[in-house]
Amino acid sequence: MEMSERFWQASFEEWKRGYVQAEDDHICLLCGKRSEKGVIYPVDELLYDAERYMKWHIGEAHGSVFQYLISLDKKLTGLTDHQNSLLKLFYEGKSDSDIQEELSIGSASTIRNHRFGLKEKERQAKVFLVLMELLKDKDQHAPAFVDIPKTAKMVDERYNITEDEKAKIIKKYFPNGSDGELLSFTQQEKHKVVVLREIAKRFEPDHFYNEQEVNEILEPAFHDYVKLRRYLIEYGLLDREPDGSQYWLKG
């Protein structure tokens, strides 16, 4: 299962926790790191079991689940920049007067109105989730859409792709299978999304690569591997250090 697929299929409680439990391990929903059940992990002279180690990892690597989710693209969170800023300050435990001063908002009552608006948004979200769950049993004509990568940048219509469309695109550009050579690098945005996500599968999660290693993985896929590398970063599938010393697959 792809990391983005596991993320979107996780339950509400698993999202709050930040990890899912598989048969043999715990898997971080934010980056894909695994902790194996039955293994003891040493951390700063302490010994952690697999689940406690996963909780430690989330705090160490991501700060918190809240911090990770609040940093996602606004098309995924549905938050305006102002709402995003307010939620961060609320999470930090700031008082209304502190927030008023920090954001230069007219009055504390204005912040209380924002709090009310966010609670209203929460109620609407709950109703919408139930409606969509009930709809699943009735809408027999709804196509299966490809999950949007949670690390995606510029979330827009280019991600409006059904599973059937995805299969046709893969067959068109990878005639010898998705592990084979890329026939051409498309400029069509939807096609580009599918092609890049297939290429990204050649990288291991929770692994760091130098630039030469990245090039060695990409060159068999396409002669202009530099272009592939650039687009993988641009579309939020790979990340790298500013000096290019390390690359890694984004969760």
Side-chain angles (χ1 to χ4, degrees), residues 145-205:
F145 287 95
V146 174
D147 288 325
I148 298 174
K150 59 188 185 338
T151 56
K153 301 177 181 179
M154 303 174 292
V155 178
D156 52 28
E157 284 299 308
R158 75 189 72 188
Y159 291 99
N160 182 7
I161 307 166
T162 67
E163 290 289 350
D164 286 344
E165 286 177 316
K166 174 186 172 182
K168 291 176 182 177
I169 293 169
I170 292 173
K171 185 176 181 179
K172 176 180 178 180
Y173 289 97
F174 296 95
N176 297 316
S178 58
D179 292 334
E181 186 177 0
L182 177 62
L183 191 63
S184 64
F185 190 70
T186 175
Q187 293 303 311
Q188 296 184 53
E189 288 298 330
K190 279 189 178 183
H191 293 195
K192 192 182 295 182
V193 166
V194 173
V195 166
L196 291 171
R197 291 183 70 175
E198 288 302 305
I199 294 291
K201 292 178 183 178
R202 305 186 186 203
F203 295 88
E204 294 292 330

Side-chain angles (χ1 to χ4, degrees), residues 38 41 52 56 83-84 97 111 128 137 141 155 157-159 167 192 201 223 232 238 249:
Y41 294 85
R52 191 178 177 195
W56 173 86
Q83 289 171 332
N84 187 292
S97 58
I111 298 172
F128 181 72
D137 298 328
H141 304 287
V155 178
E157 284 299 308
R158 75 189 72 188
Y159 291 99
K192 192 182 295 182
K201 292 178 183 178
H223 63 89
L232 285 167
L238 284 186
L249 184 67

Side-chain angles (χ1 to χ4, degrees), residues 51-70:
E51 186 165 15
R52 191 178 177 195
Y53 175 74
M54 180 55 64
K55 293 176 181 178
W56 173 86
H57 158 75
I58 289 172
E60 182 71 12
H62 308 292
S64 68
V65 176
F66 179 92
Q67 288 174 296
Y68 182 88
L69 294 177
I70 202 75

Side-chain angles (χ1 to χ4, degrees), residues 203 207-216 244-247:
F203 295 88
H207 184 86
F208 293 94
Y209 302 86
N210 59 40
E211 188 170 291
Q212 181 179 345
E213 290 171 327
V214 172
N215 293 343
E216 288 173 353
S245 59
Q246 284 189 323
Y247 294 75

Side-chain angles (χ1 to χ4, degrees), residues 86 90 96 99-100 105 107-115:
L86 284 169
F90 294 153
D96 287 4
I99 296 171
Q100 176 192 354
I105 292 176
S107 66
S109 62
T110 303
I111 298 172
R112 287 195 293 275
N113 289 336
H114 283 302
R115 287 185 184 273

